[in-house]
Amino acid sequence: MTSRPADVPGPPSLPEPNEVQLASGPLADLALARPSSLDRAGARRTTAGLLDGLWADPRTRVLRVHSGRAPVVPRRGGWQLVLQSPADVPAPGPDDLTLYLGSADGVEHVAVVSSESEPEVADGSAGDEEWRGLREVGTALPDLDARLFTEALAMGNWHAVTRFSPRTGERLETTTAGWVRAEPGAREHFPRTDAAVIMAVVDPQDRLLLGHQPIWPANRYSILAGFVEPGESFEDTVRREVFEEAGILVGPGDDDVRYLGSQPWPFPASIMVGFTARAVTTDILVDGDEIALARWFSREELAEAVQTGAVLPPPSVSISRKLIEAWFGGPLPVPDEQPWA
């Protein structure tokens, strides 16, 4: 191993193997999951003519989403959504989704979601407005804006793949202010979210397990994750996925898998449930499919690899980054933040 650069923080002193403690939750400042003033007001969705009434009210604020991107403008070192009066927004097209997002601080919010590319403005009339994706700006948006964008994106993704009844093949109609798809016979289909676990696995020497997927850039590493199967608990999923992807056994004890927090992840429709877990074996055998490479990192090794660019960690918008940093004991020394690829 090469010597550590002088500006890379040294690792905390490591406990003896039998003293290794898992990180405790809850995770702080999770992007896309920070508290906000948004009230989704689900009971209002069944109100007759709700969307028409809101569209006629100039106080309503509309969020436009096109192909997963929304308009933003610079704000105090970050970004904020461009929310407009209905009169300033083009009328929704026949294939667009109009969705009631909820109320915040006495203001009603609606989204118009389209699969088309974002509008092109070449005459300068948009000022500082830019169209950005949630991965790009999620950490730099105000809490309310992040919640609105996440909600609109997740619902737009669900509608995009829920156009026909899986039972009859008939085209579904959008009802309940954008929150339900219904068959002609009134059978209803509701939005779904796919539960997935994501886990920071540590070994008896307090090293962290990181893996590399074949589709990622060569130096991209993250912690392991996987979808919950029917009839399976989150804790069972953690143990199964770690063994399937890396051949590592997680301990069977109640405290060997510890919940730390969760984050909505609308890419396209997941909720990431975060854990830390204690491994009882260390020999790695990757599945070669989802995980091509995996290795254990001490804090010193990870700090050096991140600082030199040998390891590109997950972006700060993701719960995976927060789980890694909960083990590391603070922010990773990332020289230049790069978007996920």
Side-chain angles (χ1 to χ4, degrees), residues 101-115:
L101 296 174
S103 175
D105 305 315
V107 177
E108 300 285 7
H109 292 78
V110 171
V112 177
V113 184
S114 172
S115 60

Side-chain angles (χ1 to χ4, degrees), residues 205-220:
Q205 284 71 50
D206 204 19
R207 298 178 300 174
L208 180 70
L209 180 65
L210 295 181
H212 168 77
Q213 290 191 14
I215 62 173
W216 292 347
N219 58 342
R220 172 75 74 187

Side-chain angles (χ1 to χ4, degrees), residues 124 150 167 239 267 275:
T150 302
R167 188 175 64 93
R239 293 183 172 94
F267 307 106
F275 292 87

Side-chain angles (χ1 to χ4, degrees), residues 82-279:
V82 176
L83 302 173
Q84 299 173 280
S85 171
D88 297 325
V89 176
D95 295 326
D96 292 342
L97 167 67
T98 305
L99 174 74
Y100 177 56
L101 296 174
S103 175
D105 305 315
V107 177
E108 300 285 7
H109 292 78
V110 171
V112 177
V113 184
S114 172
S115 60
E116 298 177 358
S117 300
E118 61 269 18
E120 293 185 7
V121 179
D123 59 4
S125 61
D128 293 332
E129 178 181 304
E130 297 182 32
W131 288 81
R132 296 290 186 98
L134 188 60
R135 292 179 193 261
E136 300 173 85
V137 299
T139 57
L141 289 173
D143 297 345
L144 174 60
D145 287 15
R147 284 295 184 99
L148 292 170
F149 196 172
T150 302
E151 181 182 351
L153 182 60
M155 287 297 295
N157 288 340
W158 175 71
H159 276 274
V161 296
T162 315
R163 297 185 178 275
F164 299 92
S165 167
R167 188 175 64 93
T168 67
E170 296 175 285
R171 178 173 286 276
L172 300 173
E173 299 295 328
T174 303
T175 67
T176 319
W179 283 88
V180 173
R181 287 273 198 170
E183 298 175 10
R187 183 184 179 95
E188 295 180 321
H189 298 264
F190 297 90
R192 60 171 292 169
T193 296
D194 297 322
V197 298
I198 184 165
M199 44 276 178
V201 180
V202 297
D203 75 355
Q205 284 71 50
D206 204 19
R207 298 178 300 174
L208 180 70
L209 180 65
L210 295 181
H212 168 77
Q213 290 191 14
I215 62 173
W216 292 347
N219 58 342
R220 172 75 74 187
Y221 280 82
S222 186
I223 53 179
L224 305 186
F227 287 104
V228 180
E229 292 185 346
E232 190 174 46
S233 70
F234 292 138
E235 293 80 2
D236 285 345
T237 308
V238 168
R239 293 183 172 94
R240 175 181 56 78
E241 286 286 346
V242 173
F243 182 72
E244 288 179 355
E245 293 186 352
I248 299 296
L249 290 175
V250 169
D254 292 340
D255 195 45
D256 287 328
V257 178
R258 182 180 295 177
Y259 170 77
L260 296 185
S262 66
Q263 180 189 48
W265 196 245
F267 307 106
S270 296
I271 176 75
M272 304 302 296
V273 186
F275 292 87
T276 184
R278 185 179 288 111

Side-chain angles (χ1 to χ4, degrees), residues 47-61:
T47 303
L50 173 64
L51 290 175
D52 289 339
L54 292 177
W55 201 264
D57 188 342
R59 296 170 298 180
T60 298
R61 285 296 169 262

